[in-house]
Amino acid sequence: MLKNYSSAIKFYLLGFHGSKGLHIIFFAAFFFLYSVTLMGNIVIIMMVCGNKRLQSPMYFFLGHLSVLEILITSVAVPLMLWGLLLPGMQAISLMACGAQLYLYLSLGTSELVLMGAMAVDRYVAVCHPLRYNIIMNSRTCCFLVIASWLFGFLFQIWPIYATIQLTFCKSNVIDHFYCDRGQLFKLSCDDSHFTQFILFLMAVFVIIGALIPTIISYTYIISTIVKIPSVSGRRKAFSTCASHFTFVVIGCGSCLFLYVKPKQTQAAEYNRVASLLVLVVTPFLNPFIFTLRNDKFIEAFRDVMKRCSQLLKD
């Protein structure tokens, strides 16, 4: 379309292929998932902040995880929904594109680090229950949360800078519903193989770095659970870790599928499906994974609902 896009004012997001009717179906489905994601994670945050039963490190981390999930999905999904309603392609400036990508990657990195911290928390709870409150005190928990946020936002500065410094000369149409880095590399006429390889190594470092404490923690957790003599004791110990382990499998699996690849310029459909897993499906599942089998959370939620019903009757 234009000949040089390194100073281009706008890119155009192609969004989803298909007819207008198909777009309406997509809009209804994604709007439902996004609404449930917001409501579910907001409920978790409110419960963690306002219920005395949930004042423990596990729920402290869960509250921050819910905040990250809301922010991650809100970075791209509202724009995607707006694009499904409007005819044609959406325009987005280079700086807005870079800002969206930076927020998405930074928040995602922070979430991976936080998942690793939650694995360590579960290890201390199962393997050292008598010293749990001493080790996982409020200072330690705050340090881990702050460190995860800072690491995520500092770690992604160079990757975004390297991406927006590319010379875009092939097209200004991004075949995606948000500013996907792989599609931006496709539009560049620079030799970006080295940059892509460095980004691959950085993605491996973050994801494997989050998995290592998780794998080590669950190795000790499983060995401890096996030694518990009673069946009820083993079940109780396992239930404290099952939700986190499930979330790690889904979250890290999606990130491995999307980012751990030597070439960032994968097929558009591949990136689109993987991005939907990370941006829509995983945040939607988070409230159900952490609450449906959590007896303490369910009891606390029932108490809140009873109080609300009593207030309404009065």
Side-chain angles (χ1 to χ4, degrees):
M1 295 173 74
L2 298 175
K3 291 186 178 181
N4 191 326
Y5 293 100
S6 58
S7 59
I9 302 297
K10 293 179 181 178
F11 288 108
Y12 291 91
L13 299 174
L14 191 58
F16 291 89
H17 302 285
S19 63
K20 185 64 178 177
L22 186 62
H23 283 190
I24 292 174
I25 294 172
F26 283 155
F27 174 84
F30 294 145
F31 180 77
F32 170 76
L33 294 175
Y34 180 61
S35 300
V36 173
T37 297
L38 291 182
M39 288 187 292
N41 283 290
I42 288 172
V43 167
I44 290 176
I45 295 167
M46 293 176 64
M47 293 292 294
V48 169
C49 292
N51 197 290
K52 292 182 180 180
R53 291 185 184 182
L54 307 181
Q55 301 301 309
S56 68
M58 173 184 173
Y59 297 104
F60 177 74
F61 291 132
L62 178 57
H64 281 274
L65 182 65
S66 293
V67 172
L68 284 168
E69 291 285 36
I70 289 173
L71 294 176
I72 288 171
T73 192
S74 296
V75 165
V77 173
L79 184 65
M80 176 187 74
L81 294 173
W82 186 246
L84 288 170
L85 289 179
L86 295 176
M89 295 181 289
Q90 286 180 286
I92 184 169
S93 68
L94 175 61
M95 294 307 297
C97 188
Q100 184 190 52
L101 187 58
Y102 175 68
L103 288 172
Y104 168 53
L105 293 176
S106 299
L107 292 165
T109 302
S110 297
E111 182 175 90
L112 287 171
V113 177
L114 187 61
M115 282 195 289
M118 292 175 73
V120 175
D121 171 68
R122 292 299 83 207
Y123 158 73
V124 177
V126 174
C127 300
H128 303 282
L130 299 179
R131 293 168 40 187
Y132 178 66
N133 290 328
I134 298 172
I135 297 172
M136 300 303 296
N137 55 54
S138 58
R139 183 179 297 179
T140 302
C141 294
C142 289
F143 171 78
L144 291 172
V145 168
I146 292 171
S148 66
W149 282 83
L150 285 177
F151 179 82
F153 279 84
L154 293 175
F155 188 80
Q156 293 296 339
I157 290 176
W158 182 84
I160 299 303
Y161 176 78
T163 302
I164 63 174
Q165 289 300 309
L166 295 171
T167 303
F168 303 101
C169 59
K170 294 181 180 178
S171 173
N172 63 346
V173 177
I174 300 174
D175 191 7
H176 213 296
F177 59 82
Y178 81 104
C179 285
D180 176 63
R181 184 165 61 193
Q183 298 306 306
L184 288 174
F185 276 111
K186 273 190 172 182
L187 303 183
S188 172
C189 55
D190 297 334
D191 183 4
S192 60
H193 289 89
F194 178 74
T195 302
Q196 291 186 52
F197 181 68
I198 296 298
L199 294 177
F200 163 73
L201 292 179
M202 293 179 72
V204 170
F205 173 77
V206 171
I207 297 174
I208 301 302
L211 282 176
I212 286 174
T214 302
I215 293 169
I216 294 174
S217 296
Y218 277 100
T219 301
Y220 282 105
I221 287 170
I222 292 170
S223 64
T224 302
I225 291 175
V226 170
K227 295 175 184 176
I228 297 175
S230 66
V231 176
S232 60
R234 288 196 296 269
R235 186 182 295 113
K236 183 179 180 181
F238 180 76
S239 66
T240 63
C241 307
S243 57
H244 174 261
F245 183 77
T246 303
F247 185 77
V248 168
V249 171
I250 295 173
C252 287
S254 302
C255 290
L256 285 168
F257 185 63
L258 184 57
Y259 294 112
V260 180
K261 53 196 180 186
K263 286 191 67 177
Q264 298 288 317
T265 53
Q266 293 288 345
E269 290 303 320
Y270 174 98
N271 282 341
R272 195 177 282 111
V273 172
S275 297
L276 286 173
L277 284 174
V278 175
L279 285 164
V280 179
V281 178
T282 303
F284 168 77
L285 293 175
N286 174 42
F288 301 103
I289 291 171
F290 282 100
T291 60
L292 286 182
R293 297 187 63 183
N294 190 313
D295 294 335
K296 186 181 287 188
F297 190 93
I298 292 172
E299 289 176 8
F301 184 74
R302 284 174 179 169
D303 289 345
V304 171
M305 295 305 294
K306 285 179 182 178
R307 290 177 187 174
C308 290
S309 63
Q310 288 175 356
L311 288 172
L312 290 173
K313 288 178 182 178
D314 295 339

